Amino acid sequence: MAGWTSDSDDSDKFEWDNDGVADSSSAPAMRNFDSPGPSTLGSNEWINGEVLPTSLIERYVVMGFPKEMVMKSIKEIGHSDADALLELLLTYKALDDDDAGGNNHSTSGCILPVVEDDDDLDFENWDGDDDAGGRESSSDDSGYEDFLREMSERDEKIKSLVNMGFSEDEANEAIIRCGVDADICVLVDSVSASRVAEDCHSRNLSDHQVTDRCFNSFGGRKKARLMEESRKKRKRYGGGGQGNRPSLDGSDEDSMPLPNPMVGFNLPGYSGPSVTRMLSKLDTGPPFFYYENVARAPKGEWAKISRNLFDIQPEFVDSLHLCAAARKRGYIHNLPIENRSPLLPLPPKTIFEAFPHYKKWWPSWDTRTHLNCLQTCVASAKLTDRIQRALVSSSNPPTKSVQKYVMDECKKWNLVWVGKNKVAPLEPDEMEYILGFPRDHTRGVGKTQRYKSLGNSFQVDTVAYHLSVLRRMFPNGVRVLSLFTGIGGGEVALHKLGIHMRVVVSVEIGEASKKIFKSWWDQTQTGTLIEIDDVKSLTNDRVASFISQFGGFDLVIGGSPCNNLAGSNRHYRDGLEGKHSALFYDYVRILNFVKSAMGGRRM
């Protein structure tokens, strides 16, 4: 995808390109004392509606902990387990003492071990358990473990409800109403009932009318519809294959649940049920087309994308099934899905297969086997230094709270172990390797731009698996219209497949990405490359001239900007109507014109 962030070299000012909404499968990271959270801390020392006894706070203040630190720690984990609360306070105090000579500070005078801008982080691909890996815990840890266990159970249920198509807010409200121990089907029914009530209120009915109209006047018919909706939600989540296409009509336009596991229509070595896909004659190629974007888009956006791309069913794939890092993406294309073949040799599929030298320093309580989605920026030196000091000041093995803090940051930032108590972000060449690019593919631009361009790129092995069907169809090479080319993930995939690119018309606005792609092309290709800066400047007349010049295109490929679709963009997540993601409609416009000019249907 094209990068649409600043060209500044300040890595702390990146706009995130992320995989989607936060996955609640892991316990939440420790929050910054100064950042807003779900709890309410008032001037009269209320937390979550509960008045805290003055004696409770003073008990820890006289022990030497700042009052704000005590109140914020209670806000973090509650006060029912005194041992867990004391352990958390001691951890924060130790880190605060270590930082006393530095410039980092909070309004309370204590340093919470967090990084900047953690509101923009993606938790969706966290792998493994935050636990210590099966070791017996001491009695001092039991209360905190119970807290984490409850939070984990709550988060798993939120994740299940989100995957079923409900919003995170709806899931949270249902758990508040029904309790964390409620069965998932009870929570589904609660959300559905809430939707019915909101629908009645939206018609400006009084409370009495709402009750009558929603539950009495419609009687069993309304209840039956509600229960049927709930049953369908549960059945859909329970494991329907991706081949069972969800309805895209108006009654279900917001619902396109992501499959679990996210393996697309098929993957190499996957033994799941086979998928058949029927396309109308007008939808088949050539020209073939291939479109990509983040899987976890706002509700309804993938249904909208599908409607604009001939109602073709999306293929959702998480690249962790093909490489050592997760990358949840959706693909809509009219390529055949039979007789695909992977790139050989197969890429490494776990962290240690990719980077065996890190195993020497990897602690047993870090149970990750895959990295999270590779982002457009990396952790700062301040963060990795804080992690090292937290580990040095803790016991061996570290306490549960320190382990949790370290694991949260390692998962968010894809940190790897490079020494004793020492973590570091991946180097650009390591990201290239995981994403399937040749070594030094992005070399020649600043390090910041290398991270940015890689974070916005295709995962080459995944794309190559889908495009592999073109080898037999085009033995003499393909003519490609490449929209939002980025650093050339699609072209690298075709090259690795041994498919000659006779001509590529490349549209890319980012100067660094263009430089990277042009350098690779000049070193590896013999075909014709035509570069265009802006997709909006690619008018229908200009497309018509290329079709006349080259005799048409065999493949239209691209992934429009995900800035307003990605879950990390909390402030401008406007979907396809957002400033940058609206460029999707230029992909649709150009594809429709190519199909029309080459004799296919035009919408």
Side-chain angles (χ1 to χ4, degrees), residues 303-442:
K304 193 183 300 182
I305 292 170
S306 178
R307 282 197 301 273
N308 280 276
L309 293 174
F310 319 114
D311 286 324
I312 293 177
Q313 173 188 2
E315 179 171 14
F316 294 107
V317 181
D318 189 340
S319 68
L320 64 79
H321 300 290
L322 287 161
C323 72
R327 202 175 194 80
K328 291 179 170 67
R329 294 290 186 266
Y331 305 88
I332 294 184
H333 58 84
N334 63 347
L335 295 163
I337 62 175
E338 300 81 16
N339 301 316
R340 294 165 159 179
S341 57
L343 287 175
L344 296 175
L346 293 174
K349 292 187 179 180
T350 66
I351 296 173
F352 291 151
E353 286 178 9
F355 310 117
H357 55 287
Y358 289 139
K359 194 169 186 178
K360 175 181 179 181
W361 302 108
W362 210 273
S364 60
W365 44 268
D366 184 344
T367 58
R368 288 176 294 165
T369 58
H370 288 78
L371 295 166
N372 198 352
C373 182
L374 303 180
Q375 306 292 353
T376 55
C377 61
V378 296
S380 67
K382 290 181 181 178
L383 171 64
T384 56
D385 185 56
R386 278 201 296 267
I387 291 174
Q388 185 170 21
R389 285 186 279 113
L391 291 169
V392 169
S393 64
S394 184
S395 57
N396 186 18
T399 61
K400 296 287 185 180
S401 59
V402 172
Q403 286 185 28
K404 178 184 181 299
Y405 159 58
V406 173
M407 287 309 306
D408 284 354
E409 303 303 344
C410 285
K411 290 172 179 178
K412 284 185 289 187
W413 294 98
N414 283 318
L415 302 176
V416 292
W417 297 89
V418 297
K420 183 178 180 180
N421 296 328
K422 184 178 180 181
V423 293
L426 294 172
E427 292 294 326
D429 63 295
E430 293 173 321
M431 287 181 63
E432 290 170 344
Y433 181 49
I434 292 177
L435 290 171
F437 289 96
R439 185 179 179 88
D440 294 331
H441 182 74
T442 59

Side-chain angles (χ1 to χ4, degrees), residues 185 188-189 192 220-234:
C185 64
V188 168
D189 292 344
S192 299
R221 190 169 45 146
K222 174 69 81 172
K223 183 176 181 180
R225 193 179 78 181
L226 169 62
M227 295 308 294
E228 179 64 10
E229 177 187 350
S230 300
R231 184 189 67 78
K232 288 180 178 179
K233 289 279 188 182
R234 294 194 295 269

Side-chain angles (χ1 to χ4, degrees), residues 109-137:
C110 64
I111 306 302
L112 187 64
V114 297
V115 297
E116 300 76 22
D117 299 326
D118 73 336
D119 281 344
D120 287 341
L121 298 176
D122 173 30
F123 296 81
E124 72 171 77
N125 297 312
W126 285 17
D127 171 69
D129 203 338
D130 284 338
D131 204 307
R135 289 192 301 274
E136 292 186 10
S137 60

Side-chain angles (χ1 to χ4, degrees), residues 292-307:
E292 181 259 19
N293 218 312
V294 292
R296 292 183 180 273
K299 182 185 291 186
E301 294 306 289
W302 270 106
K304 193 183 300 182
I305 292 170
S306 178
R307 282 197 301 273

Side-chain angles (χ1 to χ4, degrees), residues 450-465:
R450 295 182 72 184
Y451 283 124
K452 176 181 169 183
S453 61
L454 287 163
N456 283 320
S457 71
F458 286 156
Q459 205 287 323
V460 172
D461 299 280
T462 306
V463 174
Y465 182 65

